[in-house]
Amino acid sequence: MRRAVLISVALGLAALGWALSAPAPVSASAAPWPVFTDVTEKAGIHFTHSIGDHELSNIVEGTGAGACVFDYDNDGFLDIYFVNGRWTKGVSDNRGRDLIGQLRNALYHNNGDGTFTDVTEKAGVAGGDHYGFSCSTADIDGDGYQDLYVLNYGQNQFFHNNGNGTFTDITEKTGLGDASWSLSAPWLDYNGDGKLDVFVANYLEYDDGKFRSFYAAAGYPGPLSYNGQQNHLFRNNGDSTFTDVTKETGLVNPNGRAMSAVAVDLNNDGFPDIYVANDSMESYYYENTGQGAFVEKGAVTGLAFSENGQGVSHMGPSIGDVDRDGRFDILIPDMNYGSLLMNRGKFFEDTISRSGLAVICAQSAGWAGLLTDFDNDGYLDAFVSLGDAHHEYAQNQIITRNDGKGRFADMADVSGDYFKTKYVGRGALYFDFDNDGDVDILTINLDSPAHLLRNDGGNKLNHWLTVDLRLANGKTPAIGARVTATTGQLKQIEEYVGVRGYLAQNDIRAHFGLGQAVKVDQIEIRWPNGKLQQLRDVPADQILKVVQGG
């Protein structure tokens, strides 16, 4: 009898311990939440992504595409550049040859009134016959206008912004025409010389469909059926030319299969590090030594694998301070649950299960992860695009709210019709396209139309502040700068990093949700050159433009 009582007590204590450690469910109705209205048609956006073929049949076509947002004409509103597939020899089926000459990339000018105009032909950025995947922007020559880097299957393209609404292809001059299969290109000043360099993340060596030893139901072979490719770091020489410094900076890793990368100061030492999300293998974390080189520390910091140590199909890493402890964390969707890598200082801890995101994502195929504050309560929420990897099987997309305690609630049912319809998700990004203080979403789904989702309600009950940092010329975004916003006991950090997530460049401006606060007590800016600037008692509900030295 005594043994039975002891067993009962032990089981009761075990159950109590589990209950204390397990995350409590987060209520979706605990606080007001915005609705995301599909305004694509109303906005005048008519872009449809194409795989360059009529039937999905290989890994090139299945990788999808993304987009980037940037203010190419400096009118204060973010414009959109979409990249598209093409019929390509060795990739596309002969039955798709009717698509030759029918597909292009597209630049949409933001008119500032909620509508966009297709200005691709005038701007000269249609992209020719290159099969496009991603893009990023930077002012490489300091003339105050954002230049455009387009990443392709095959040679990349670099377009110089002429400042008059047109671009000129200067790929050959720059030396940035990497002929690998490139998927991501974050910009950073790795050596502190004041010039923006670029890290090009490359995927794998596709064999034109020669490898056929795969399970037929899978549709086509996966990434481990092909050799990986070397990533490259290109140093800006200051004359619109770049030099490949991959070897001398310690970045040689020829067997990687990079899906996306992010360049951000992860260890808070003032130097930009590089995190590379690899497909079906360990990911890489290159820590900047501060002396013009990097050291790979993925395994020792917990950034190489998933929660339980197995290899993962990491897609697009999105960074943000999820728990508001002053350190950047990383959300990475993959083919199963994904990873939420919480920065503990010397190492990262994967809390995807405890956060509730594992259950919400289930075993769906995740691609783009977004971390931003949709309801302006001061804590970063999460969006994840889902879609089958090898077939055009649609899935519901995910949007969640952060409760401020490390847990996320599924908000799809109350977020609008878009989240009640299934799509084959791929690239996605966030930006405040109408400058009203709440963050909107742009999705690029595989072989189908893009969707612009306007945030309706994120600015009604809570306050906000967007900080727009420019270098001394008053025009060039201060890539690499860090902003810390303190309101009462809540301290938020953001870094001027546009390339984050999957195949996308987001709104680079630092956006802060303030909850009920009507002002920010202190804004601290760490400019790219390391100099600090402080502003006090900054009123909420504005886009605050700050010029370095001004």
Side-chain angles (χ1 to χ4, degrees):
M1 181 69 177
R2 184 170 180 268
R3 183 182 179 188
V5 170
L6 289 174
I7 292 174
S8 177
V9 171
L11 290 173
L13 289 174
L16 177 60
W18 179 88
L20 290 174
S21 62
V26 184
S27 172
S29 60
W33 178 256
V35 170
F36 292 83
T37 305
D38 192 332
V39 295
T40 314
E41 184 68 26
K42 181 179 179 181
I45 296 174
H46 305 289
F47 176 80
T48 297
H49 173 258
S50 173
I51 60 173
D53 207 344
H54 296 304
E55 184 177 347
L56 180 62
S57 60
N58 58 66
I59 197 168
V60 179
E61 296 172 347
T63 299
C68 58
V69 291
F70 68 117
D71 185 4
Y72 80 89
D73 58 350
N74 290 337
D75 66 352
F77 290 90
L78 294 176
D79 312 297
I80 307 171
Y81 185 76
F82 295 98
V83 290
N84 209 353
R86 305 291 197 281
W87 189 94
T88 301
K89 185 178 180 180
V91 174
S92 311
D93 190 272
N94 281 333
R95 289 171 292 183
R97 293 180 66 88
D98 61 311
L99 295 174
I100 296 176
Q102 303 301 309
L103 303 172
R104 61 168 194 163
N105 302 341
L107 176 62
Y108 279 84
H109 175 258
N110 188 334
N111 300 319
D113 59 0
T115 68
F116 291 78
T117 300
D118 188 335
V119 295
T120 311
E121 300 306 323
K122 175 186 176 182
V125 290
D129 59 358
H130 296 269
Y131 197 123
F133 286 89
S134 183
C135 51
S136 63
T137 67
D139 178 8
I140 67 165
D141 54 3
D143 66 354
Y145 291 93
Q146 294 286 287
D147 308 305
L148 175 64
Y149 194 25
V150 183
L151 309 179
N152 301 311
Y153 177 80
Q155 188 182 53
N156 298 330
Q157 297 166 283
F158 192 89
F159 296 94
H160 176 261
N161 189 334
N162 300 319
N164 60 1
T166 69
F167 293 75
T168 300
D169 188 334
I170 60 168
T171 307
E172 185 175 352
K173 174 185 177 180
T174 62
L176 292 177
D178 192 324
S180 305
W181 180 6
S182 304
L183 295 183
S184 184
W187 295 83
L188 70 159
D189 181 6
Y190 82 94
N191 56 0
D193 66 354
K195 298 184 288 288
L196 285 177
D197 317 296
V198 63
F199 179 83
V200 179
N202 294 320
Y203 192 23
L204 50 79
E205 295 177 3
Y206 182 61
D207 64 355
D208 295 351
K210 295 182 179 64
F211 180 81
R212 306 303 299 169
S213 299
F214 65 97
Y215 180 46
Y220 52 80
L224 294 182
S225 303
Y226 311 99
N227 293 326
Q229 286 188 322
Q230 174 65 52
N231 304 314
H232 294 278
L233 177 64
F234 293 96
R235 185 187 65 218
N236 189 335
N237 300 320
D239 58 358
S240 296
T241 69
F242 290 76
T243 299
D244 190 334
V245 293
T246 307
K247 184 176 181 179
E248 65 189 71
T249 54
L251 294 172
V252 174
N253 240 330
N255 296 315
R257 296 174 178 84
M259 295 296 280
S260 286
V262 63
V264 66
D265 182 7
L266 283 174
N267 61 350
N268 286 352
D269 66 353
F271 302 104
D273 310 301
I274 301 173
Y275 182 73
V276 183
N278 285 320
D279 194 1
S280 299
M281 58 176 288
E282 75 275 13
S283 293
Y284 302 147
Y285 166 50
Y286 296 107
E287 192 169 275
N288 193 326
T289 65
Q291 299 177 347
F294 296 83
V295 177
E296 206 287 307
K297 293 185 176 182
V300 298
T301 55
L303 286 171
F305 300 101
S306 69
E307 184 177 41
N308 297 312
Q310 72 267 32
V312 291
S313 298
H314 274 159
M315 299 301 181
S318 187
I319 57 100
D321 184 7
V322 173
D323 54 0
R324 296 308 189 198
D325 66 351
R327 297 185 290 257
F328 283 118
D329 313 300
I330 310 175
L331 171 66
I332 319 173
D334 67 19
M335 292 296 97
N336 290 300
Y337 306 107
S339 295
L340 180 61
L341 301 164
M342 301 299 293
N343 191 335
R344 304 306 188 197
K346 297 295 184 180
F347 66 94
F348 286 74
E349 179 186 11
D350 195 337
T351 65
I352 193 71
S353 294
R354 278 181 285 156
S355 71
L357 284 173
V359 173
I360 298 171
C361 292
Q363 290 184 327
S364 301
W367 299 85
L370 308 180
L371 284 175
T372 189
D373 190 355
F374 290 120
D375 59 352
N376 283 329
D377 67 349
Y379 292 91
L380 299 179
D381 311 302
F383 168 94
V384 180
S385 66
L386 303 179
D388 190 89
H390 290 243
H391 303 88
E392 294 191 57
Y393 297 158
Q395 298 176 347
N396 290 109
Q397 310 305 290
I398 288 173
I399 189 164
T400 67
R401 181 175 58 205
N402 183 344
D403 71 348
K405 300 177 182 178
R407 296 171 297 181
F408 290 82
D410 187 346
M411 305 300 291
D413 286 346
V414 295
S415 294
D417 291 341
Y418 183 84
F419 295 94
K420 299 175 183 177
T421 305
K422 295 182 178 182
Y423 301 93
V424 187
R426 288 298 188 267
L429 58 85
Y430 63 80
F431 71 130
D432 184 2
F433 81 89
D434 47 9
N435 285 346
D436 66 349
D438 50 22
V439 182
D440 313 298
I441 301 173
L442 179 69
T443 66
I444 302 89
N445 299 317
L446 189 71
D447 218 22
S448 61
H451 292 267
L452 178 61
L453 308 177
R454 187 184 64 207
N455 184 328
D456 291 330
N459 60 359
K460 290 185 178 178
L461 295 177
N462 289 324
H463 298 283
W464 57 277
L465 178 72
T466 296
V467 182
D468 185 358
L469 299 181
R470 303 298 174 109
L471 298 182
N473 63 13
K475 295 180 179 180
T476 303
I479 291 178
R482 177 173 289 197
V483 186
T484 304
T486 303
T487 307
Q489 299 299 312
L490 183 64
K491 181 175 289 188
Q492 305 179 54
I493 62 170
E494 260 299 347
E495 199 155 309
Y496 252 56
V497 177
V499 177
R500 57 179 88 184
Y502 186 63
L503 308 181
Q505 175 174 291
N506 298 264
D507 192 337
I508 197 172
R509 298 173 298 183
H511 177 84
F512 301 102
L514 303 179
Q516 297 301 299
V518 297
K519 66 180 179 67
V520 178
D521 299 332
Q522 177 178 287
I523 295 286
E524 181 178 271
I525 302 167
R526 187 186 73 193
W527 292 98
N529 61 5
K531 292 185 177 180
L532 298 178
Q533 179 179 356
Q534 292 183 347
L535 306 172
R536 297 185 183 277
D537 297 326
V538 178
D541 304 327
Q542 63 165 317
I543 297 176
L544 177 69
K545 183 176 180 179
V546 185
V547 177
Q548 185 177 16

